[in-house]
Amino acid sequence: MQTLTVFTPAYNRAHTIGRTYKSLCSQKCKDFVWFIVDDGSTDSSAKIIDDYADLYRDVIKILHIKNSG
């Protein structure tokens, strides 16, 4: 069980999701899970998020949903 959960809402954030990932990796606390909610992005956000999740299945959890406005 992780000590910390980081929630990130994402809608068309392909240009920032990599910076968010790097920022999380640079934190002193490594005992976290990163939970990303992709709200129906129309850019490449979903692919980028999925690629990170494929590499770090134990740390990154994703929920892809239809855009809810």
Side-chain angles (χ1 to χ4, degrees), residues 42-63:
T42 58
D43 66 356
S44 59
S45 295
K47 169 134 178 48
I48 293 169
I49 293 166
D50 287 341
D51 288 347
Y52 279 123
D54 285 345
L55 294 173
Y56 307 102
R57 292 184 189 273
D58 294 339
V59 177
I60 301 174
K61 307 300 180 195
I62 304 168
L63 177 62

Side-chain angles (χ1 to χ4, degrees), residues 23-44:
S23 176
L24 289 171
C25 289
S26 70
Q27 302 302 308
K28 287 184 181 181
C29 175
K30 303 294 184 190
D31 187 24
F32 67 87
V33 63
W34 185 19
F35 189 75
I36 306 166
V37 179
D38 175 36
D39 189 22
S41 294
T42 58
D43 66 356
S44 59

